[in-house]
Amino acid sequence: MSNNTKQTVIHVVSSLKVGGAERFVIDLCQEQLQLGMDVAILSFGLPEDALVKVCRELGLQFFILSGKSWQAQLKRYQILSKFDVIHLHSPAVLKSLIFHVMLLKNKTLIYTRHGAAPLRETHWVWLHRLARRFISAVTFVSADAQRTFGHHDWHNVPQYIIDNGVKLPTEVITSEHTGMAANIDILRLGSVGRMVKLKSQLSLLQAVSQMDIESQHKIELHFFGDGELRSQLEAFHQQHSGIKAVFHGMETNRENIYPNIDVLVVTSSTEGLSMVILEAMAYGKPVIATRVGGNPMLVKAGETGFLYEFNDIEALSSLISGLLQRNEQRQKLGTQAREWVNQQYSLAKTAGHYKELYSVK
């Protein structure tokens, strides 16, 4: 530790674009500040990234250093060397900082795997083989993520499963709070996330397109996010006039998202511990999600939502149909989801676990 009595921590992320891991890092920083820690964020992204504005509004200390020039590398080293704990939040970050990691081996170096991708490609295998001698501890957000990482042979590196936590809003904000009138005869389904292949949002549109016209007229789809596949989703929507869908684009304010949906739908092919699911539950929303990664840890069938097999369009369509006329059931599931998150996935608990881990070395 430094002579400063405060524990100093810098979180390193690939970018400050809207994403579950990035949003979690910002929330964690706020909680760590309340614990009396000195925290900062280092991003390799761009000043235009959406969450840069959020960091600025919250008064968080952050640095943005992109590029591979020797000047950028030196500046990164100078910034990182000022902190006792360096917390890396993605494989891409580890790759970018591999030589810094070697030079900063006297620091406490924490590597968190937010996803469950096995990273079996040769370049990832060699990177992790090189890095493991310098990492103080590796953390995972689910047992599934730890299991898929096993082939990297980090058995001599301390390993921990630390669930991502979420801070509950002080009240369940409804449509009335936001000025958007709610129609109890309409089921508003929300999709939140990057529009990329692994998120598979097209399957939600396909599921609704298989329903009868009367049912389609009782459903609204609200897509929050952006990405390379947005045009594909919009094209499918235009080809199926019976589907009501709104593409809101990138949205950083959670109070503009969750109060304006009734049920969150997660269609991903893989997930670690989904921050989107945790956030929706914190706002009292039930969830329909694929049975992958950490999703079954969060979504308890008939208690906090429902699960279905990835890419089973008929099963997804059936689950949506089942909720159409069951407003009371949706409310009960949402209430139970909020209680579950409050008990099991408290952000304060997560911050406490990391505080203990930072002090190990």
Side-chain angles (χ1 to χ4, degrees):
M1 295 285 290
S2 67
N3 292 329
N4 193 325
T5 56
K6 281 190 175 182
Q7 196 172 42
T8 62
V9 183
I10 186 164
H11 296 273
V12 191
V13 295
S14 299
S15 74
L16 283 169
K17 295 180 180 179
V18 176
E22 293 79 10
R23 174 65 79 176
F24 166 72
V25 168
I26 290 174
D27 290 345
L28 180 60
C29 283
Q30 291 179 271
E31 197 70 24
Q32 289 176 335
L33 284 171
Q34 293 184 23
L35 291 174
M37 302 166 70
D38 185 1
V39 298
I41 297 173
L42 171 60
S43 168
F44 298 161
L46 300 172
E48 297 80 24
D49 290 346
L51 292 177
V52 170
K53 179 181 178 182
V54 174
C55 290
R56 191 172 287 119
E57 290 173 347
L58 293 172
L60 295 178
Q61 182 182 15
F62 67 94
F63 307 92
I64 298 177
L65 276 174
S66 57
K68 299 181 180 179
S69 67
W70 69 266
Q71 293 97 332
Q73 300 291 354
L74 177 60
K75 184 64 175 177
R76 286 174 186 166
Y77 176 79
Q78 291 172 336
I79 291 172
L80 293 171
S81 63
K82 296 177 181 178
F83 292 84
D84 304 311
V85 180
I86 301 170
H87 194 154
L88 314 178
H89 287 273
S90 77
V93 163
L94 181 64
K95 184 176 182 180
S96 296
L97 292 181
I98 185 60
F99 295 111
H100 297 73
V101 164
M102 296 177 186
L103 294 172
L104 294 165
K105 59 183 179 181
N106 61 314
K107 303 288 186 178
T108 298
L109 296 165
I110 306 299
Y111 174 39
T112 291
R113 292 281 293 115
H114 289 275
L119 305 176
R120 293 185 180 275
E121 295 86 350
T122 302
H123 68 101
W124 288 124
V125 172
W126 279 104
L127 170 70
H128 286 87
R129 186 174 299 176
L130 180 62
R132 64 189 175 192
R133 291 180 296 163
F134 306 98
I135 299 297
S136 307
V138 56
T139 72
F140 305 90
V141 297
S142 69
D144 185 59
Q146 183 180 32
R147 184 168 53 254
T148 59
F149 190 76
H151 67 279
H152 287 293
D153 193 26
W154 277 38
H155 304 299
N156 293 328
V157 180
Q159 299 186 18
Y160 305 89
I161 296 176
I162 300 180
D163 301 325
N164 284 350
V166 64
K167 188 171 183 178
L168 269 68
T170 55
E171 61 177 327
V172 178
I173 303 173
T174 64
S175 299
E176 286 73 17
H177 290 80
T178 64
M180 178 182 283
N183 185 341
I184 61 173
D185 297 322
I186 298 295
L187 175 62
R188 301 170 303 165
L189 303 176
S191 173
V192 183
R194 292 174 296 133
M195 294 175 174
V196 294
K197 184 177 180 180
L198 68 86
K199 297 298 182 181
S200 193
Q201 290 101 333
L202 182 62
S203 61
L204 175 55
L205 285 161
Q206 292 172 329
V208 175
S209 73
Q210 291 186 4
M211 301 170 69
D212 60 79
I213 295 299
E214 182 180 355
S215 296
Q216 288 184 23
H217 288 169
K218 295 178 180 178
I219 294 171
E220 286 181 2
L221 302 181
H222 292 266
F223 291 92
F224 294 91
D226 211 338
E228 59 197 55
L229 296 185
R230 177 170 176 171
S231 59
Q232 180 190 53
L233 301 178
E234 291 178 329
F236 186 95
H237 173 227
Q238 291 172 1
Q239 293 165 9
H240 296 78
S241 57
I243 300 177
K244 299 177 183 178
V246 181
F247 293 84
H248 297 271
M250 197 65 70
E251 177 58 66
T252 61
N253 188 342
R254 285 167 282 202
E255 293 185 5
N256 290 335
I257 300 175
Y258 302 107
N260 296 316
I261 64 175
D262 300 311
V263 178
L264 176 74
V265 182
V266 176
T267 51
S268 308
S269 61
T270 180
E271 286 285 351
L273 194 72
S274 171
M275 282 304 299
V276 168
I277 291 179
L278 288 174
E279 289 175 354
M281 287 183 169
Y283 278 87
K285 307 300 177 180
V287 178
I288 298 175
T290 47
R291 189 179 282 104
V292 301
N295 290 357
M297 295 172 55
L298 304 177
V299 183
K300 305 299 180 182
E303 297 179 23
T304 62
F306 299 97
L307 294 166
Y308 73 99
E309 298 301 326
F310 170 70
N311 212 30
D312 189 340
I313 308 300
E314 291 185 5
L316 176 56
S317 182
S318 178
L319 287 172
I320 294 171
S321 295
L323 287 175
L324 264 176
Q325 304 298 334
R326 301 175 186 170
N327 186 47
E328 290 185 4
Q329 183 192 27
R330 297 199 305 263
Q331 292 178 353
K332 181 180 178 181
L333 291 171
T335 299
Q336 292 173 169
R338 180 176 165 88
E339 292 173 352
W340 167 256
V341 166
N342 188 35
Q343 294 170 6
Q344 301 294 327
Y345 295 95
S346 160
L347 182 60
K349 183 190 297 184
T350 301
H353 288 322
Y354 276 120
K355 184 176 177 64
E356 292 179 10
L357 181 59
Y358 294 162
S359 303
V360 168
K361 188 171 181 179

